[in-house]
């Protein structure tokens, strides 16, 4: 048996094993069924959203829903740009699964990174925070209104409150 024959046998065996491993659970050989794609419901529970927060500063942000209860948010405070800083806010939010309430409460944590020129050098500031709030999702339109509060450690600790709106795609 030559090297080419061994190569082709290994390749065919690999393709067969991969094909069997990629079959959905419960598939019977010879059974044909149309492929299915799970689509998120239209109730703003997954996907991408963009919005604005107002908390003494205007903060445009993008939110990515990782699941029904978990979301990741990235925001850029606009006042930092006017003061020569580059700042970014990263938040991870957990939405409580309380389907009977019109307001969806959430808790989470975040961190704000700021970088800018300080004298002859460059300064970097990293501020963690704990956030909580509630949002109202319109049932027939992909728009959410929310209020959130954030607590950042320091001497003294800083409490911030934000009002905002988000459009979900």
């Amino acid at each position: 048996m030559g090297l080419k024959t061994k190569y082709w046998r290994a390749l065919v065996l690999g393709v067969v094993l991969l094909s069997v491993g990629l079959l959905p659970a419960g598939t019977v050989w010879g059974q044909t069924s149309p492929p299915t794609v799970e689509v998120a419901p239209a109730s703003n529970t997954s996907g991408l959203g963009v919005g604005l927060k107002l908390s003494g500063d205007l903060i445009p942000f993008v939110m990515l829903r990782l699941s029904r209860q978990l979301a990741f948010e990235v925001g850029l405070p606009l006042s930092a740009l006017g003061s020569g800083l580059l700042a970014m806010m990263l938040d991870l939010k957990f939405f409580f699964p309380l389907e009977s309430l019109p307001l969806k409460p959430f808790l989470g944590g975040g961190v704000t990174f700021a970088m800018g020129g300080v004298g002859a050098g460059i300064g970097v500031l990293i501020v963690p925070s704990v956030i909580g709030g509630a949002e109202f999702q319109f049932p027939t339109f992909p728009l959410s209104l929310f209020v959130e509060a954030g607590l950042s450690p320091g001497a003294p600790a800083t409490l911030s409150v934000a009002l905002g709106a988000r459009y979900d795609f």
Side-chain angles (χ1 to χ4, degrees):
M1 206 183 317
L3 183 61
K4 285 186 177 182
T5 306
K6 287 183 182 178
Y7 172 76
W8 283 107
R9 283 185 182 174
L11 183 62
V12 168
L13 180 63
V15 168
V16 168
L17 290 176
L18 282 175
S19 298
V20 170
L22 294 176
L23 287 174
T27 300
V28 178
W29 285 99
Q31 176 186 6
T32 59
S33 61
T36 58
V37 176
E38 188 174 322
V39 178
S43 62
N44 305 341
T45 56
S46 68
L48 186 67
V50 295
L52 289 172
K53 289 183 191 180
L54 182 60
S55 66
D57 189 5
L58 189 60
I59 304 169
F61 67 91
V62 175
M63 176 184 267
L64 176 64
R65 289 237 184 219
L66 305 172
S67 70
R68 283 184 90 82
Q69 284 89 26
L70 197 61
F72 179 69
E73 190 175 283
V74 178
L76 298 169
L78 294 181
S79 67
L81 297 175
S83 61
L85 295 174
L86 178 61
M88 180 171 43
M89 299 169 60
L90 305 173
D91 294 336
L92 190 62
K93 296 178 179 179
F94 175 79
F95 290 83
F96 292 98
L98 304 174
E99 300 298 326
S100 61
L101 295 177
L103 290 176
K104 304 297 177 205
F106 62 86
L107 281 177
V111 64
T112 299
F113 298 95
M115 183 175 68
V118 178
I122 293 179
V124 177
L125 178 66
I126 300 173
V127 180
S129 63
V130 176
I131 56 175
E135 80 172 21
F136 173 77
Q137 295 177 342
F138 289 93
T140 58
F141 191 72
L143 183 70
S144 298
L145 301 176
F146 62 89
V147 60
E148 74 178 33
L151 183 62
S152 300
T158 305
L159 177 67
S160 62
V161 177
L163 297 174
R166 183 184 69 251
Y167 179 83
D168 294 306
F169 294 99

